[in-house]
């Protein structure tokens, strides 16, 4: 596995061009519209969540800032890179070799796999990080209480937010990409 700054997927090396695939695979205007709608739903959900947890947030005072700041740091430093590495496991069949690249850009960290994969591998690749962190963080939130529950719930919310485009693409591929 390689870590690279501003890495790009090798479209031409895999004989993918505008004529045969990458811009016809999905309509960016439709995807952008759907992502904007999902952002509204996510912000609405977060607002409702803050309203439901308002008593706990009030009880913990300044501690909530430390908890939320800690959760953000853990999400950025640990969960996001692991999320991207989890994308690569089904694509590479568990072998993180030279074809697996973690691209680090100014605004994002992305997993790239420079090899052909099946539709099933791609679908598993899209949903695996969401399921993995969803199960672990939900389980941790149920087993904890007090400020730790707030911590794990906040991590779960950020993890879901970080996965929403993957979930969208999962359903888009299921509906629009031929087997």
């Amino acid at each position: 596995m390689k870590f690279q700054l501003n890495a790009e997927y090798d479209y031409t090396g895999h004989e993918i061009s505008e004529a045969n695939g990458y811009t016809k695979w999905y309509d960016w205007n439709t995807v952008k519209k759907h992502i904007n709608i999902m952002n509204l739903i996510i912000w609405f959900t977060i607002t409702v969540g803050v309203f439901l947890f308002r008593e706990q947030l009030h009880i913990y005072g300044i501690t909530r800032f430390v908890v939320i700041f800690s959760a953000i740091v853990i999400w950025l430093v640990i969960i996001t890179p692991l999320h991207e590495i989890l994308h690569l496991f089904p694509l590479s069949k568990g072998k993180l070799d030279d074809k697996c690249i973690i691209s680090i850009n100014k605004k994002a960290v992305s997993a790239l796999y420079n090899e052909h994969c099946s539709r099933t591998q791609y679908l598993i690749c899209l949903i695996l990080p969401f399921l993995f962190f969803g199960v672990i963080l939900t389980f941790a939130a149920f087993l904890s209480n007090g400020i730790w529950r707030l911590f794990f719930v906040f991590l779960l919310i950020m993890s879901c937010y970080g996965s929403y485009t993957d979930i969208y693409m999962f359903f888009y591929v299921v509906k629009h990409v031929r087997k």
Side-chain angles (χ1 to χ4, degrees), residues 74 121 164:
I74 287 172
Q121 281 177 297
Y164 83 93

Side-chain angles (χ1 to χ4, degrees), residues 21-35 38 119 122-123 126-127 164-179:
Y22 75 85
T23 60
K24 293 182 180 181
W25 195 62
Y26 61 86
D27 177 14
W28 174 244
N29 291 326
T30 303
V31 171
K32 188 175 179 182
K33 181 177 81 172
H34 291 160
I35 288 173
M38 289 187 321
R119 180 177 182 260
Y122 186 62
L123 288 172
L126 287 171
I127 204 73
Y164 83 93
T165 54
D166 298 333
I167 296 165
Y168 171 77
M169 287 307 295
F170 175 86
F171 288 108
Y172 190 92
V173 169
V174 166
K175 186 175 180 182
H176 295 287
V177 177
R178 292 184 306 254
K179 296 177 183 179

Side-chain angles (χ1 to χ4, degrees), residues 17-102:
S17 67
E18 184 175 344
N20 71 3
Y22 75 85
T23 60
K24 293 182 180 181
W25 195 62
Y26 61 86
D27 177 14
W28 174 244
N29 291 326
T30 303
V31 171
K32 188 175 179 182
K33 181 177 81 172
H34 291 160
I35 288 173
N36 287 336
I37 291 168
M38 289 187 321
N39 270 329
L40 288 173
I41 291 168
I42 289 167
W43 282 109
F44 176 76
T45 305
I46 288 172
T47 303
V48 169
V50 167
F51 178 76
L52 293 174
F53 281 103
R54 72 186 180 281
E55 289 180 23
Q56 280 188 326
L57 291 171
H58 179 70
I59 290 169
Y60 295 116
I62 192 68
T63 308
R64 72 174 181 243
F65 173 76
V66 173
V67 167
I68 291 172
F69 181 76
S70 300
I72 291 171
V73 170
I74 287 172
W75 181 65
L76 287 172
V77 174
I78 296 172
I79 292 179
T80 299
L82 286 177
H83 173 108
E84 295 306 322
I85 291 170
L86 282 171
H87 279 307
L88 294 171
F89 271 104
L91 296 175
S92 65
K93 298 177 183 168
K95 302 172 187 170
L96 298 176
D97 54 12
D98 293 3
K99 298 169 191 162
C100 301
I101 299 169
I102 301 294

Side-chain angles (χ1 to χ4, degrees), residues 96-127:
L96 298 176
D97 54 12
D98 293 3
K99 298 169 191 162
C100 301
I101 299 169
I102 301 294
S103 176
I104 302 166
N105 299 324
K106 287 182 181 179
K107 296 182 181 179
V109 177
S110 303
L112 303 173
Y113 184 66
N114 280 321
E115 191 65 39
H116 294 285
C117 67
S118 69
R119 180 177 182 260
T120 303
Q121 281 177 297
Y122 186 62
L123 288 172
I124 293 169
C125 145
L126 287 171
I127 204 73

